[in-house]
Amino acid sequence: MSVSHVTTHILDTAAGKPAAGVAVELYARDGEAWSQIGAGITDADGRVKELGPERLDSGEYRLTFATGAYFAGIGQDTFFPEVSLAFTVNAAEAHYHVPLLLSPFAFSTYRGS
């Protein structure tokens, strides 16, 4: 199994557990538009390791998380139907890990390792 240049991990901080079954899409900026270049579903540990290409060019990228569907699936209301995170990639960097700490009415993120 290869690991993509960008990976993610979602923790449901309100429930105190990984957020399994969340659809995640990876996009690359193409001028003024965004082009989808990868997609995955979080596993039982809340991780997506095979999200897109093994190597990305330097540029702007975006992760979109289907948080509304996740919360609907566990019978929880949420303020965010989706979370979208834009970030910059330097092709010289070996790996980008972008975790999402999620609750029904708040989220945060950071660049992980």
Side-chain angles (χ1 to χ4, degrees), residues 25-73:
E25 297 173 336
L26 176 63
Y27 294 86
R29 182 178 287 280
D30 183 13
E32 293 300 315
W34 292 94
S35 300
Q36 185 177 342
I37 59 170
I41 305 286
T42 56
D43 63 17
D45 195 33
R47 296 179 184 275
V48 180
K49 295 180 183 174
E50 296 182 56
L51 184 55
E54 287 183 49
R55 299 298 311 157
L56 296 173
D57 293 331
S58 294
E60 294 180 33
Y61 294 86
R62 181 176 73 194
L63 287 173
T64 300
F65 302 87
T67 54
Y70 166 74
F71 282 118

mmCIF file of all heavy atoms in Angstrom, residues 25-73:
data_model
loop_
_atom_site.group_PDB
_atom_site.id
_atom_site.type_symbol
_atom_site.label_atom_id
_atom_site.label_comp_id
_atom_site.label_asym_id
_atom_site.label_seq_id
_atom_site.Cartn_x
_atom_site.Cartn_y
_atom_site.Cartn_z
ATOM 1 N N GLU A 25 -12.681 14.564 0.081
ATOM 2 C CA GLU A 25 -12.245 14.793 -1.294
ATOM 3 C C GLU A 25 -11.054 15.741 -1.294
ATOM 4 O O GLU A 25 -11.010 16.691 -0.507
ATOM 5 C CB GLU A 25 -13.378 15.394 -2.117
ATOM 6 C CG GLU A 25 -14.574 14.469 -2.230
ATOM 7 C CD GLU A 25 -15.780 15.112 -2.890
ATOM 8 O OE1 GLU A 25 -15.896 16.352 -2.862
ATOM 9 O OE2 GLU A 25 -16.591 14.367 -3.439
ATOM 10 N N LEU A 26 -10.101 15.475 -2.174
ATOM 11 C CA LEU A 26 -8.914 16.307 -2.341
ATOM 12 C C LEU A 26 -9.001 17.009 -3.691
ATOM 13 O O LEU A 26 -9.239 16.365 -4.718
ATOM 14 C CB LEU A 26 -7.647 15.454 -2.284
ATOM 15 C CG LEU A 26 -6.318 16.162 -2.544
ATOM 16 C CD1 LEU A 26 -6.039 17.229 -1.491
ATOM 17 C CD2 LEU A 26 -5.186 15.141 -2.595
ATOM 18 N N TYR A 27 -8.813 18.328 -3.668
ATOM 19 C CA TYR A 27 -8.872 19.152 -4.876
ATOM 20 C C TYR A 27 -7.568 19.913 -5.058
ATOM 21 O O TYR A 27 -6.907 20.267 -4.086
ATOM 22 C CB TYR A 27 -10.004 20.188 -4.770
ATOM 23 C CG TYR A 27 -11.382 19.596 -4.745
ATOM 24 C CD1 TYR A 27 -11.944 19.169 -3.540
ATOM 25 C CD2 TYR A 27 -12.128 19.468 -5.904
ATOM 26 C CE1 TYR A 27 -13.222 18.634 -3.499
ATOM 27 C CE2 TYR A 27 -13.403 18.928 -5.874
ATOM 28 C CZ TYR A 27 -13.944 18.509 -4.667
ATOM 29 O OH TYR A 27 -15.208 17.971 -4.641
ATOM 30 N N ALA A 28 -7.240 20.194 -6.316
ATOM 31 C CA ALA A 28 -6.099 21.048 -6.666
ATOM 32 C C ALA A 28 -6.646 22.296 -7.340
ATOM 33 O O ALA A 28 -7.589 22.213 -8.135
ATOM 34 C CB ALA A 28 -5.144 20.322 -7.611
ATOM 35 N N ARG A 29 -6.041 23.444 -7.019
ATOM 36 C CA ARG A 29 -6.456 24.684 -7.689
ATOM 37 C C ARG A 29 -5.923 24.649 -9.114
ATOM 38 O O ARG A 29 -4.760 24.368 -9.363
ATOM 39 C CB ARG A 29 -5.936 25.924 -6.973
ATOM 40 C CG ARG A 29 -6.430 27.207 -7.660
ATOM 41 C CD ARG A 29 -5.986 28.465 -6.969
ATOM 42 N NE ARG A 29 -6.662 28.734 -5.720
ATOM 43 C CZ ARG A 29 -7.889 29.271 -5.609
ATOM 44 N NH1 ARG A 29 -8.586 29.553 -6.683
ATOM 45 N NH2 ARG A 29 -8.400 29.522 -4.429
ATOM 46 N N ASP A 30 -6.821 24.949 -10.043
ATOM 47 C CA ASP A 30 -6.488 24.995 -11.456
ATOM 48 C C ASP A 30 -6.951 26.354 -11.967
ATOM 49 O O ASP A 30 -8.088 26.498 -12.410
ATOM 50 C CB ASP A 30 -7.188 23.841 -12.180
ATOM 51 C CG ASP A 30 -6.838 23.767 -13.646
ATOM 52 O OD1 ASP A 30 -5.878 24.435 -14.076
ATOM 53 O OD2 ASP A 30 -7.537 23.033 -14.375
ATOM 54 N N GLY A 31 -6.098 27.380 -11.830
ATOM 55 C CA GLY A 31 -6.502 28.746 -12.169
ATOM 56 C C GLY A 31 -7.503 29.239 -11.153
ATOM 57 O O GLY A 31 -7.241 29.263 -9.965
ATOM 58 N N GLU A 32 -8.697 29.579 -11.610
ATOM 59 C CA GLU A 32 -9.755 30.036 -10.708
ATOM 60 C C GLU A 32 -10.651 28.885 -10.253
ATOM 61 O O GLU A 32 -11.522 29.077 -9.401
ATOM 62 C CB GLU A 32 -10.602 31.113 -11.400
ATOM 63 C CG GLU A 32 -9.838 32.396 -11.669
ATOM 64 C CD GLU A 32 -9.322 33.042 -10.398
ATOM 65 O OE1 GLU A 32 -10.072 33.147 -9.403
ATOM 66 O OE2 GLU A 32 -8.136 33.439 -10.376
ATOM 67 N N ALA A 33 -10.462 27.711 -10.809
ATOM 68 C CA ALA A 33 -11.313 26.558 -10.501
ATOM 69 C C ALA A 33 -10.566 25.541 -9.630
ATOM 70 O O ALA A 33 -9.351 25.620 -9.472
ATOM 71 C CB ALA A 33 -11.763 25.897 -11.803
ATOM 72 N N TRP A 34 -11.315 24.594 -9.096
ATOM 73 C CA TRP A 34 -10.748 23.481 -8.339
ATOM 74 C C TRP A 34 -11.063 22.190 -9.075
ATOM 75 O O TRP A 34 -12.191 21.996 -9.532
ATOM 76 C CB TRP A 34 -11.362 23.424 -6.941
ATOM 77 C CG TRP A 34 -10.985 24.566 -6.059
ATOM 78 C CD1 TRP A 34 -11.689 25.726 -5.886
ATOM 79 C CD2 TRP A 34 -9.827 24.663 -5.245
ATOM 80 N NE1 TRP A 34 -11.030 26.540 -4.996
ATOM 81 C CE2 TRP A 34 -9.884 25.915 -4.582
ATOM 82 C CE3 TRP A 34 -8.741 23.842 -4.994
ATOM 83 C CZ2 TRP A 34 -8.903 26.340 -3.689
ATOM 84 C CZ3 TRP A 34 -7.765 24.253 -4.109
ATOM 85 C CH2 TRP A 34 -7.850 25.495 -3.470
ATOM 86 N N SER A 35 -10.071 21.297 -9.183
ATOM 87 C CA SER A 35 -10.250 19.999 -9.837
ATOM 88 C C SER A 35 -10.040 18.896 -8.817
ATOM 89 O O SER A 35 -9.021 18.870 -8.132
ATOM 90 C CB SER A 35 -9.231 19.820 -10.963
ATOM 91 O OG SER A 35 -9.378 20.826 -11.933
ATOM 92 N N GLN A 36 -11.005 17.976 -8.737
ATOM 93 C CA GLN A 36 -10.861 16.864 -7.799
ATOM 94 C C GLN A 36 -9.765 15.927 -8.286
ATOM 95 O O GLN A 36 -9.764 15.510 -9.448
ATOM 96 C CB GLN A 36 -12.165 16.099 -7.639
ATOM 97 C CG GLN A 36 -12.067 15.018 -6.582
ATOM 98 C CD GLN A 36 -13.375 14.288 -6.359
ATOM 99 O OE1 GLN A 36 -14.443 14.762 -6.725
ATOM 100 N NE2 GLN A 36 -13.288 13.127 -5.766
ATOM 101 N N ILE A 37 -8.840 15.583 -7.392
ATOM 102 C CA ILE A 37 -7.734 14.687 -7.753
ATOM 103 C C ILE A 37 -7.670 13.446 -6.868
ATOM 104 O O ILE A 37 -6.824 12.575 -7.079
ATOM 105 C CB ILE A 37 -6.377 15.418 -7.718
ATOM 106 C CG1 ILE A 37 -6.085 15.987 -6.341
ATOM 107 C CG2 ILE A 37 -6.336 16.504 -8.792
ATOM 108 C CD1 ILE A 37 -4.657 16.498 -6.180
ATOM 109 N N GLY A 38 -8.558 13.364 -5.884
ATOM 110 C CA GLY A 38 -8.558 12.195 -5.017
ATOM 111 C C GLY A 38 -9.766 12.205 -4.102
ATOM 112 O O GLY A 38 -10.408 13.233 -3.909
ATOM 113 N N ALA A 39 -10.057 11.026 -3.554
ATOM 114 C CA ALA A 39 -11.180 10.899 -2.628
ATOM 115 C C ALA A 39 -10.987 9.646 -1.793
ATOM 116 O O ALA A 39 -10.272 8.724 -2.193
ATOM 117 C CB ALA A 39 -12.501 10.835 -3.387
ATOM 118 N N GLY A 40 -11.618 9.633 -0.643
ATOM 119 C CA GLY A 40 -11.564 8.467 0.217
ATOM 120 C C GLY A 40 -12.613 8.565 1.311
ATOM 121 O O GLY A 40 -13.320 9.565 1.426
ATOM 122 N N ILE A 41 -12.679 7.519 2.109
ATOM 123 C CA ILE A 41 -13.601 7.434 3.242
ATOM 124 C C ILE A 41 -12.758 7.100 4.470
ATOM 125 O O ILE A 41 -11.897 6.210 4.415
ATOM 126 C CB ILE A 41 -14.649 6.314 3.029
ATOM 127 C CG1 ILE A 41 -15.404 6.492 1.717
ATOM 128 C CG2 ILE A 41 -15.584 6.220 4.226
ATOM 129 C CD1 ILE A 41 -16.419 7.581 1.705
ATOM 130 N N THR A 42 -13.015 7.801 5.577
ATOM 131 C CA THR A 42 -12.238 7.495 6.780
ATOM 132 C C THR A 42 -12.519 6.077 7.255
ATOM 133 O O THR A 42 -13.655 5.604 7.222
ATOM 134 C CB THR A 42 -12.524 8.497 7.915
ATOM 135 O OG1 THR A 42 -13.922 8.516 8.200
ATOM 136 C CG2 THR A 42 -12.049 9.901 7.558
ATOM 137 N N ASP A 43 -11.459 5.418 7.717
ATOM 138 C CA ASP A 43 -11.570 4.051 8.229
ATOM 139 C C ASP A 43 -12.022 4.077 9.694
ATOM 140 O O ASP A 43 -12.359 5.139 10.234
ATOM 141 C CB ASP A 43 -10.248 3.298 8.030
ATOM 142 C CG ASP A 43 -9.073 3.900 8.795
ATOM 143 O OD1 ASP A 43 -9.291 4.707 9.733
ATOM 144 O OD2 ASP A 43 -7.921 3.559 8.458
ATOM 145 N N ALA A 44 -12.017 2.935 10.355
ATOM 146 C CA ALA A 44 -12.472 2.830 11.741
ATOM 147 C C ALA A 44 -11.639 3.691 12.689
ATOM 148 O O ALA A 44 -12.125 4.088 13.748
ATOM 149 C CB ALA A 44 -12.447 1.376 12.190
ATOM 150 N N ASP A 45 -10.408 4.007 12.291
ATOM 151 C CA ASP A 45 -9.534 4.864 13.092
ATOM 152 C C ASP A 45 -9.659 6.336 12.686
ATOM 153 O O ASP A 45 -8.896 7.176 13.159
ATOM 154 C CB ASP A 45 -8.084 4.380 12.954
ATOM 155 C CG ASP A 45 -7.164 4.967 14.002
ATOM 156 O OD1 ASP A 45 -7.625 5.212 15.143
ATOM 157 O OD2 ASP A 45 -5.990 5.221 13.688
ATOM 158 N N GLY A 46 -10.589 6.652 11.781
ATOM 159 C CA GLY A 46 -10.798 8.022 11.332
ATOM 160 C C GLY A 46 -9.765 8.512 10.335
ATOM 161 O O GLY A 46 -9.648 9.702 10.089
ATOM 162 N N ARG A 47 -9.013 7.601 9.724
ATOM 163 C CA ARG A 47 -7.906 7.981 8.836
ATOM 164 C C ARG A 47 -8.207 7.670 7.375
ATOM 165 O O ARG A 47 -8.907 6.713 7.056
ATOM 166 C CB ARG A 47 -6.633 7.233 9.220
ATOM 167 C CG ARG A 47 -6.135 7.582 10.592
ATOM 168 C CD ARG A 47 -4.866 6.789 10.942
ATOM 169 N NE ARG A 47 -4.453 7.050 12.293
ATOM 170 C CZ ARG A 47 -3.692 8.073 12.686
ATOM 171 N NH1 ARG A 47 -3.260 8.938 11.788
ATOM 172 N NH2 ARG A 47 -3.366 8.234 13.954
ATOM 173 N N VAL A 48 -7.620 8.503 6.499
ATOM 174 C CA VAL A 48 -7.590 8.224 5.064
ATOM 175 C C VAL A 48 -6.121 8.312 4.661
ATOM 176 O O VAL A 48 -5.531 9.386 4.699
ATOM 177 C CB VAL A 48 -8.422 9.228 4.230
ATOM 178 C CG1 VAL A 48 -8.351 8.872 2.756
ATOM 179 C CG2 VAL A 48 -9.860 9.277 4.701
ATOM 180 N N LYS A 49 -5.540 7.171 4.310
ATOM 181 C CA LYS A 49 -4.124 7.135 3.941
ATOM 182 C C LYS A 49 -3.916 7.173 2.439
ATOM 183 O O LYS A 49 -2.881 7.603 1.964
ATOM 184 C CB LYS A 49 -3.465 5.883 4.527
ATOM 185 C CG LYS A 49 -3.443 5.884 6.039
ATOM 186 C CD LYS A 49 -2.795 4.635 6.578
ATOM 187 C CE LYS A 49 -2.835 4.622 8.090
ATOM 188 N NZ LYS A 49 -2.334 3.372 8.628
ATOM 189 N N GLU A 50 -4.891 6.685 1.694
ATOM 190 C CA GLU A 50 -4.805 6.670 0.237
ATOM 191 C C GLU A 50 -5.826 7.664 -0.310
ATOM 192 O O GLU A 50 -6.890 7.291 -0.760
ATOM 193 C CB GLU A 50 -5.054 5.269 -0.295
ATOM 194 C CG GLU A 50 -3.988 4.282 0.144
ATOM 195 C CD GLU A 50 -4.214 2.906 -0.433
ATOM 196 O OE1 GLU A 50 -4.311 2.795 -1.670
ATOM 197 O OE2 GLU A 50 -4.303 1.963 0.350
ATOM 198 N N LEU A 51 -5.466 8.938 -0.258
ATOM 199 C CA LEU A 51 -6.400 9.999 -0.597
ATOM 200 C C LEU A 51 -6.185 10.555 -1.999
ATOM 201 O O LEU A 51 -7.098 11.067 -2.621
ATOM 202 C CB LEU A 51 -6.266 11.127 0.433
ATOM 203 C CG LEU A 51 -7.223 12.300 0.333
ATOM 204 C CD1 LEU A 51 -8.674 11.831 0.355
ATOM 205 C CD2 LEU A 51 -6.980 13.267 1.468
ATOM 206 N N GLY A 52 -4.974 10.488 -2.484
ATOM 207 C CA GLY A 52 -4.660 11.046 -3.792
ATOM 208 C C GLY A 52 -3.295 10.575 -4.238
ATOM 209 O O GLY A 52 -2.787 9.574 -3.748
ATOM 210 N N PRO A 53 -2.677 11.318 -5.127
ATOM 211 C CA PRO A 53 -1.370 10.921 -5.669
ATOM 212 C C PRO A 53 -0.284 10.817 -4.589
ATOM 213 O O PRO A 53 -0.344 11.483 -3.560
ATOM 214 C CB PRO A 53 -1.032 12.063 -6.636
ATOM 215 C CG PRO A 53 -2.326 12.728 -6.940
ATOM 216 C CD PRO A 53 -3.172 12.565 -5.719
ATOM 217 N N GLU A 54 0.706 9.970 -4.859
ATOM 218 C CA GLU A 54 1.861 9.839 -3.960
ATOM 219 C C GLU A 54 2.680 11.121 -3.911
ATOM 220 O O GLU A 54 3.323 11.409 -2.909
ATOM 221 C CB GLU A 54 2.756 8.680 -4.400
ATOM 222 C CG GLU A 54 2.174 7.322 -4.123
ATOM 223 C CD GLU A 54 3.132 6.215 -4.508
ATOM 224 O OE1 GLU A 54 4.318 6.284 -4.105
ATOM 225 O OE2 GLU A 54 2.689 5.284 -5.212
ATOM 226 N N ARG A 55 2.693 11.878 -5.008
ATOM 227 C CA ARG A 55 3.440 13.141 -5.075
ATOM 228 C C ARG A 55 2.543 14.209 -5.680
ATOM 229 O O ARG A 55 1.824 13.952 -6.641
ATOM 230 C CB ARG A 55 4.703 13.012 -5.935
ATOM 231 C CG ARG A 55 5.711 12.006 -5.460
ATOM 232 C CD ARG A 55 6.325 12.253 -4.103
ATOM 233 N NE ARG A 55 6.815 13.602 -3.907
ATOM 234 C CZ ARG A 55 6.974 14.155 -2.708
ATOM 235 N NH1 ARG A 55 6.686 13.500 -1.620
ATOM 236 N NH2 ARG A 55 7.423 15.385 -2.595
ATOM 237 N N LEU A 56 2.615 15.394 -5.110
ATOM 238 C CA LEU A 56 1.880 16.534 -5.633
ATOM 239 C C LEU A 56 2.857 17.622 -6.055
ATOM 240 O O LEU A 56 3.924 17.760 -5.452
ATOM 241 C CB LEU A 56 0.945 17.109 -4.566
ATOM 242 C CG LEU A 56 -0.181 16.213 -4.085
ATOM 243 C CD1 LEU A 56 -0.906 16.856 -2.911
ATOM 244 C CD2 LEU A 56 -1.149 15.904 -5.213
ATOM 245 N N ASP A 57 2.479 18.390 -7.050
ATOM 246 C CA ASP A 57 3.246 19.571 -7.424
ATOM 247 C C ASP A 57 3.019 20.650 -6.372
ATOM 248 O O ASP A 57 2.013 20.637 -5.657
ATOM 249 C CB ASP A 57 2.778 20.102 -8.786
ATOM 250 C CG ASP A 57 3.088 19.146 -9.927
ATOM 251 O OD1 ASP A 57 4.086 18.389 -9.824
ATOM 252 O OD2 ASP A 57 2.333 19.155 -10.916
ATOM 253 N N SER A 58 3.927 21.591 -6.298
ATOM 254 C CA SER A 58 3.721 22.744 -5.418
ATOM 255 C C SER A 58 2.474 23.488 -5.885
ATOM 256 O O SER A 58 2.219 23.603 -7.082
ATOM 257 C CB SER A 58 4.925 23.687 -5.466
ATOM 258 O OG SER A 58 6.066 23.057 -4.915
ATOM 259 N N GLY A 59 1.686 23.971 -4.942
ATOM 260 C CA GLY A 59 0.484 24.703 -5.303
ATOM 261 C C GLY A 59 -0.535 24.702 -4.196
ATOM 262 O O GLY A 59 -0.254 24.316 -3.058
ATOM 263 N N GLU A 60 -1.737 25.133 -4.533
ATOM 264 C CA GLU A 60 -2.831 25.228 -3.575
ATOM 265 C C GLU A 60 -3.748 24.015 -3.715
ATOM 266 O O GLU A 60 -4.098 23.612 -4.827
ATOM 267 C CB GLU A 60 -3.632 26.508 -3.801
ATOM 268 C CG GLU A 60 -2.829 27.758 -3.509
ATOM 269 C CD GLU A 60 -3.632 29.017 -3.740
ATOM 270 O OE1 GLU A 60 -4.861 29.007 -3.514
ATOM 271 O OE2 GLU A 60 -3.023 30.013 -4.162
ATOM 272 N N TYR A 61 -4.146 23.477 -2.569
ATOM 273 C CA TYR A 61 -4.995 22.294 -2.508
ATOM 274 C C TYR A 61 -6.094 22.522 -1.491
ATOM 275 O O TYR A 61 -6.010 23.426 -0.655
ATOM 276 C CB TYR A 61 -4.160 21.054 -2.152
ATOM 277 C CG TYR A 61 -3.179 20.713 -3.246
ATOM 278 C CD1 TYR A 61 -1.926 21.321 -3.298
ATOM 279 C CD2 TYR A 61 -3.529 19.829 -4.254
ATOM 280 C CE1 TYR A 61 -1.044 21.044 -4.325
ATOM 281 C CE2 TYR A 61 -2.646 19.541 -5.283
ATOM 282 C CZ TYR A 61 -1.405 20.153 -5.307
ATOM 283 O OH TYR A 61 -0.541 19.885 -6.336
ATOM 284 N N ARG A 62 -7.118 21.672 -1.548
ATOM 285 C CA ARG A 62 -8.243 21.796 -0.629
ATOM 286 C C ARG A 62 -8.750 20.411 -0.272
ATOM 287 O O ARG A 62 -8.868 19.533 -1.140
ATOM 288 C CB ARG A 62 -9.349 22.605 -1.295
ATOM 289 C CG ARG A 62 -10.568 22.819 -0.407
ATOM 290 C CD ARG A 62 -11.582 23.705 -1.075
ATOM 291 N NE ARG A 62 -12.251 22.959 -2.146
ATOM 292 C CZ ARG A 62 -12.985 23.522 -3.080
ATOM 293 N NH1 ARG A 62 -13.138 24.816 -3.133
ATOM 294 N NH2 ARG A 62 -13.561 22.777 -3.996
ATOM 295 N N LEU A 63 -9.042 20.207 0.995
ATOM 296 C CA LEU A 63 -9.735 19.017 1.461
ATOM 297 C C LEU A 63 -11.162 19.412 1.808
ATOM 298 O O LEU A 63 -11.382 20.435 2.470
ATOM 299 C CB LEU A 63 -9.062 18.430 2.707
ATOM 300 C CG LEU A 63 -7.744 17.713 2.499
ATOM 301 C CD1 LEU A 63 -7.124 17.355 3.844
ATOM 302 C CD2 LEU A 63 -7.940 16.454 1.670
ATOM 303 N N THR A 64 -12.125 18.609 1.371
ATOM 304 C CA THR A 64 -13.524 18.831 1.710
ATOM 305 C C THR A 64 -14.038 17.593 2.429
ATOM 306 O O THR A 64 -13.902 16.475 1.927
ATOM 307 C CB THR A 64 -14.363 19.126 0.454
ATOM 308 O OG1 THR A 64 -13.827 20.295 -0.173
ATOM 309 C CG2 THR A 64 -15.817 19.370 0.802
ATOM 310 N N PHE A 65 -14.597 17.799 3.607
ATOM 311 C CA PHE A 65 -15.083 16.720 4.466
ATOM 312 C C PHE A 65 -16.608 16.767 4.514
ATOM 313 O O PHE A 65 -17.186 17.823 4.781
ATOM 314 C CB PHE A 65 -14.545 16.907 5.889
ATOM 315 C CG PHE A 65 -13.050 16.947 5.989
ATOM 316 C CD1 PHE A 65 -12.372 18.145 5.828
ATOM 317 C CD2 PHE A 65 -12.323 15.804 6.256
ATOM 318 C CE1 PHE A 65 -10.987 18.201 5.933
ATOM 319 C CE2 PHE A 65 -10.938 15.850 6.355
ATOM 320 C CZ PHE A 65 -10.275 17.045 6.197
ATOM 321 N N ALA A 66 -17.268 15.635 4.289
ATOM 322 C CA ALA A 66 -18.733 15.553 4.306
ATOM 323 C C ALA A 66 -19.214 15.379 5.751
ATOM 324 O O ALA A 66 -19.708 14.321 6.147
ATOM 325 C CB ALA A 66 -19.208 14.421 3.412
ATOM 326 N N THR A 67 -19.086 16.426 6.533
ATOM 327 C CA THR A 67 -19.399 16.354 7.958
ATOM 328 C C THR A 67 -20.898 16.255 8.229
ATOM 329 O O THR A 67 -21.316 15.617 9.196
ATOM 330 C CB THR A 67 -18.799 17.556 8.696
ATOM 331 O OG1 THR A 67 -19.231 18.761 8.059
ATOM 332 C CG2 THR A 67 -17.283 17.510 8.665
ATOM 333 N N GLY A 68 -21.709 16.884 7.394
ATOM 334 C CA GLY A 68 -23.156 16.803 7.583
ATOM 335 C C GLY A 68 -23.666 15.379 7.482
ATOM 336 O O GLY A 68 -24.476 14.939 8.302
ATOM 337 N N ALA A 69 -23.205 14.658 6.491
ATOM 338 C CA ALA A 69 -23.622 13.259 6.321
ATOM 339 C C ALA A 69 -23.139 12.403 7.486
ATOM 340 O O ALA A 69 -23.862 11.518 7.955
ATOM 341 C CB ALA A 69 -23.088 12.718 4.998
ATOM 342 N N TYR A 70 -21.930 12.672 7.959
ATOM 343 C CA TYR A 70 -21.406 11.932 9.117
ATOM 344 C C TYR A 70 -22.307 12.135 10.332
ATOM 345 O O TYR A 70 -22.743 11.174 10.971
ATOM 346 C CB TYR A 70 -19.970 12.376 9.435
ATOM 347 C CG TYR A 70 -19.502 11.920 10.802
ATOM 348 C CD1 TYR A 70 -19.176 10.591 11.039
ATOM 349 C CD2 TYR A 70 -19.418 12.818 11.855
ATOM 350 C CE1 TYR A 70 -18.782 10.167 12.300
ATOM 351 C CE2 TYR A 70 -19.010 12.414 13.116
ATOM 352 C CZ TYR A 70 -18.692 11.078 13.337
ATOM 353 O OH TYR A 70 -18.297 10.671 14.589
ATOM 354 N N PHE A 71 -22.605 13.394 10.664
ATOM 355 C CA PHE A 71 -23.425 13.658 11.844
ATOM 356 C C PHE A 71 -24.857 13.149 11.671
ATOM 357 O O PHE A 71 -25.450 12.632 12.621
ATOM 358 C CB PHE A 71 -23.389 15.145 12.208
ATOM 359 C CG PHE A 71 -22.128 15.545 12.913
ATOM 360 C CD1 PHE A 71 -21.270 16.466 12.358
ATOM 361 C CD2 PHE A 71 -21.785 14.988 14.139
ATOM 362 C CE1 PHE A 71 -20.103 16.838 12.997
ATOM 363 C CE2 PHE A 71 -20.628 15.346 14.795
ATOM 364 C CZ PHE A 71 -19.780 16.273 14.230
ATOM 365 N N ALA A 72 -25.414 13.250 10.468
ATOM 366 C CA ALA A 72 -26.749 12.701 10.218
ATOM 367 C C ALA A 72 -26.754 11.195 10.476
ATOM 368 O O ALA A 72 -27.710 10.651 11.032
ATOM 369 C CB ALA A 72 -27.198 13.005 8.795
ATOM 370 N N GLY A 73 -25.668 10.536 10.076
ATOM 371 C CA GLY A 73 -25.562 9.088 10.256
ATOM 372 C C GLY A 73 -25.505 8.644 11.707
ATOM 373 O O GLY A 73 -25.844 7.501 12.018
#
